Amino acid sequence: MEFEEAHGMFINKHLTERSGERRGRLVRGHNYAEKLFLQNVWWSLFESLDDLHPEYEVYDWNRKSQFLDFAFLPQSGSSLGIECDGFQSHVKDMDRERFNYAVNRDTFLTGMGWKMIHFSVDDLQHRPEVCRMLLQLVLAPHLARKSASVDILSEEKEVLRLAWRLGRAIRPKDVIMHFSINFRTARRLLHSLSEKGLLKPVITGERVRQYEVKAMRPDQIW
């Protein structure tokens, strides 16, 4: 499925499930920056929008309603809040009171079990690779096996986490230096992950010199 089709189905699904202000907020709030995040970052990594909720309503310590740009709520029970911040609306036009509230809100949500991350609109538009790398860095500690049908050994999982943290193709040299193991063991682990469909070998000349992380569904990570 292509992104535009998936995005249309995604928005229509949430519009159908909402009413009142929650529906109105989605109509008004899901705009250029939010779609840019989905297309350039989330979809590029996962090719799925499952368990992602746009313009998600939360409450502060005074039970005041607020909306996150996105909430990722997988069945595991984890809560990831994502904000797409424009300089004009989130910094330049923000007075001290609003700034203090924004900081306190994030701290409150963190205390309530949320993991909050922010991306600038400029980076989403001009440097999406940085956003993907940072999102991978946040998700890497939660990396789990791809599916119930794929058995991943503990050492393979650590190599896979390293590959996600690097944000680029992983080489045997990276595994050797990070885990202080020999070349044969590093190559075996990378080859095994490739055989299980979690890494994609990159052939240079006639040899495989590095591996890329394949797209995974986000609910296979959290």
Side-chain angles (χ1 to χ4, degrees):
M1 182 183 298
E2 297 296 328
F3 170 75
E4 289 295 338
E5 180 182 359
H7 180 257
M9 294 174 60
F10 172 70
I11 295 299
N12 287 335
K13 172 181 179 294
H14 286 279
L15 285 174
T16 301
E17 295 174 348
R18 300 185 186 187
S19 61
E21 176 57 21
R22 293 180 66 247
R23 190 178 193 278
R25 179 66 186 221
L26 178 55
V27 173
R28 299 190 305 271
H30 188 80
N31 296 311
Y32 175 75
E34 290 76 18
K35 185 176 180 180
L36 204 61
F37 165 76
L38 292 180
Q39 184 169 14
N40 288 357
V41 180
W42 195 272
W43 182 265
S44 180
L45 287 175
F46 304 123
E47 297 179 357
S48 168
L49 302 178
D50 292 348
D51 297 320
L52 200 61
H53 301 262
E55 296 299 323
Y56 186 79
E57 187 175 25
V58 295
Y59 294 91
D60 67 9
W61 54 95
N62 290 320
R63 296 298 295 170
K64 180 181 178 182
S65 176
Q66 296 288 318
F67 288 85
L68 304 177
D69 289 337
F70 295 100
F72 177 58
L73 305 171
Q75 294 183 356
S76 65
S78 301
S79 302
L80 174 66
I82 303 166
E83 294 279 64
C84 307
D85 297 340
F87 178 78
Q88 188 74 24
S89 60
H90 289 268
V91 180
K92 188 175 180 180
D93 294 339
M94 184 178 289
D95 58 25
R96 288 181 179 273
E97 183 176 353
R98 291 177 62 191
F99 173 77
N100 291 338
Y101 177 82
V103 171
N104 290 336
R105 188 200 68 169
D106 273 19
T107 303
F108 175 77
L109 290 175
T110 299
M112 297 298 291
W114 287 82
K115 181 182 289 291
M116 297 297 299
I117 57 176
H118 293 255
F119 297 104
S120 75
V121 175
D122 286 345
D123 278 346
L124 292 174
Q125 184 174 14
H126 302 295
R127 294 171 292 275
E129 71 282 355
V130 173
C131 301
R132 291 192 292 268
M133 179 272 293
L134 292 173
L135 183 59
Q136 288 176 308
L137 187 64
V138 171
L139 295 179
H142 305 275
L143 191 63
R145 57 196 177 96
K146 183 180 180 184
S147 69
S149 62
V150 178
D151 185 20
I152 301 181
L153 302 177
S154 59
E155 59 266 34
E156 293 174 346
K157 186 180 293 187
E158 292 304 315
V159 172
L160 195 56
R161 285 174 173 161
L162 173 62
W164 271 73
R165 289 198 299 269
L166 288 174
R168 58 167 171 79
I170 187 171
R171 307 163 298 175
K173 179 180 178 180
D174 299 317
V175 180
I176 292 169
M177 295 181 63
H178 187 82
F179 297 105
S180 299
I181 58 179
N182 59 44
F183 175 78
R184 178 176 297 179
T185 302
R187 184 175 61 180
R188 173 180 60 80
L189 291 170
L190 291 170
H191 179 73
S192 177
L193 288 168
S194 174
E195 288 289 307
K196 293 176 180 179
L198 297 171
L199 293 178
K200 177 183 178 181
V202 179
I203 300 176
T204 303
E206 297 181 354
R207 299 180 59 185
V208 175
R209 300 184 183 275
Q210 55 188 6
Y211 296 80
E212 295 178 344
V213 178
K214 297 186 69 174
M216 298 176 67
R217 289 168 52 90
D219 59 2
Q220 295 162 353
I221 298 172
W222 280 63

